Amino acid sequence: MTSPQVDLKNRWLAAVLAFLIPGAGHLYQGRLVKAAIYSVGIIGLFVGGMVLGEWKVVYWRWEPGGHRSFGYLSQVLVGLPALPARWQAGRYLEQGRAIDETLDAPFSGRLRYDPDPDQLTIHPVDPDTRPTSKIHEITGTIHWQREAAAVTGTLEGTLDDGQAVSLTLIREPMATRRVFVHDEITPSILRRDKETSVRLFSSTARYVRCDVQNGDREGIVEGTVPRDFWNWFQVPLEEEALQELHGRLGRRFELAQVFTWIAGLLNLLAIWDALEGPAYGYGDEEDDSEQAAAD
Amino acid sequence: MDAHNTWYILPLVVVISLVYSASRYELTSRIFSRARRIFLTIMIFLGILFVVLNTLSFRL
């Protein structure tokens, strides 16, 4: 109901603003208290849900016959805070399986040189007595680029004993995809560290593994490079990621989803209010219950 | 649902009450008085539901 006491200005513009940012439409109309209630309440609920669900509850995935994120149809009503998911779904699908054409990023991981071939011939079969090389922690910068069909690159870093090393990549590196996915990862030398979880690779860090050469010594480096915010935020979750989150967060993940769904549905009320005004009137009419008491 | 998660219902009901009331009326005092009433109604309803379900599931 459009109340004559409320100036809705350009109500269609207000409705669009209310959709894009909860409370913005009412701010435009000069209805400041309502703008505060809608923005703090709805955005607060939405962000609260995102935090509860480790920022993974809002995503768009629509596979005919497969997983469909119906909840997003409600979440998207919050407007701009949820819209990146639609764009991220496109980026996720467009990326191929090939590794980046170029990469220049800080690297943190481990290095293990291959054992001396002469020693291997002394202990050819018994893995218990076969000499193993020491594993070094390494931090530095990894760089590669694709030239023609081959990938060339270097890893300039410092080992845990303070020694500076310059390693040359000798084969095509392996890396998890740029835009977040829950790829199956089989770390080899990192696996020895029980604190290194698969989850580490699936959000803010990417797993990288490559064969390297340092002079006449060859070895393997395995570790992570940072993943940019826009390469994991609101990106579609695969089944493995969903199972991992449900398993780890339990009901908290479901609560997080409910928070964001309800935030979207509540913004629908706010949009309608910006378009049509308050549903029951201005509010200075006599209260029904008071009237009933008087009767 | 364990006791810890149950507390999340409070902010949820507060926001639902406020936003719903704000979409019904324009007058600030009316919005808040109505929101308070809705909040109490929902909490009492949920409280009754909680007691009933808790009693029914006693020693289960």
Side-chain angles (χ1 to χ4, degrees), chain B:
Chain B
M1 190 177 285
D2 57 53
H4 175 66
N5 284 337
T6 310
W7 290 108
Y8 287 115
I9 201 76
L10 279 175
L12 196 60
V13 177
V14 167
V15 174
I16 290 172
S17 309
L18 273 171
V19 171
Y20 180 76
S21 301
S23 71
R24 306 292 102 177
Y25 298 105
E26 195 67 25
L27 204 62
T28 307
S29 58
R30 189 71 182 267
I31 290 171
F32 283 104
S33 65
R34 176 92 176 185
R36 193 166 53 241
R37 223 167 64 190
I38 294 174
F39 174 79
L40 288 173
T41 308
I42 295 175
M43 291 312 291
I44 290 168
F45 173 75
L46 288 176
I48 293 170
L49 208 62
F50 178 80
V51 170
V52 169
L53 291 175
N54 213 29
T55 309
L56 289 175
S57 61
F58 185 64
R59 286 190 177 170
L60 278 183

Side-chain angles (χ1 to χ4, degrees), chain A residues 108-222:
Chain A
S108 172
R110 291 181 174 180
L111 160 69
R112 184 181 62 198
Y113 288 115
D114 291 340
D116 187 339
D118 294 338
Q119 288 185 308
L120 280 177
T121 55
I122 302 170
H123 310 277
V125 285
D126 187 357
D128 293 331
T129 56
R130 180 183 290 178
T132 53
S133 301
K134 186 187 171 193
I135 295 172
H136 300 274
E137 302 287 335
I138 179 171
T139 52
T141 305
I142 190 166
H143 169 83
W144 77 62
Q145 72 271 326
R146 185 177 292 281
E147 289 173 349
V151 173
T152 56
T154 55
L155 171 54
E156 308 277 347
T158 310
L159 301 183
D160 43 9
D161 57 7
Q163 183 193 349
V165 287
S166 177
L167 307 167
T168 307
L169 276 55
I170 52 174
R171 270 176 281 278
E172 183 155 318
M174 175 192 155
T176 50
R177 285 189 267 180
R178 195 160 50 92
V179 180
F180 167 88
V181 284
H182 206 81
D183 270 339
E184 196 172 305
I185 300 155
T186 50
S188 55
I189 47 182
L190 281 176
R191 190 183 284 274
R192 297 181 184 201
D193 182 356
K194 287 187 169 54
E195 291 175 6
T196 306
S197 65
V198 171
R199 193 166 70 88
L200 177 71
F201 307 128
S202 58
S203 53
T204 55
R206 295 176 67 192
Y207 169 81
V208 173
R209 175 183 172 168
C210 41
D211 294 324
V212 292
Q213 189 172 39
N214 185 9
D216 58 350
R217 301 184 76 183
E218 289 189 5
I220 175 178
V221 288
E222 193 176 48

Side-chain angles (χ1 to χ4, degrees), chain A residues 228-293:
Chain A
D228 296 338
F229 175 79
W230 284 113
N231 284 335
W232 65 264
F233 182 67
Q234 294 191 0
V235 166
L237 297 183
E238 295 181 341
E239 287 307 316
E240 294 83 358
L242 277 171
Q243 282 173 15
E244 194 268 334
L245 281 165
H246 275 290
R248 192 162 44 80
L249 300 181
R251 290 184 178 121
R252 204 149 63 87
F253 189 73
E254 287 155 18
L255 265 170
Q257 288 179 312
V258 169
F259 269 40
T260 54
W261 297 340
I262 290 182
L265 293 175
L266 289 177
N267 201 38
L268 202 57
L269 295 178
I271 295 167
W272 195 254
D273 183 33
L275 188 70
E276 287 290 328
Y280 294 167
Y282 191 78
D284 53 357
E285 304 86 359
E286 204 170 346
D287 195 325
D288 292 344
S289 55
E290 286 169 13
Q291 197 173 10

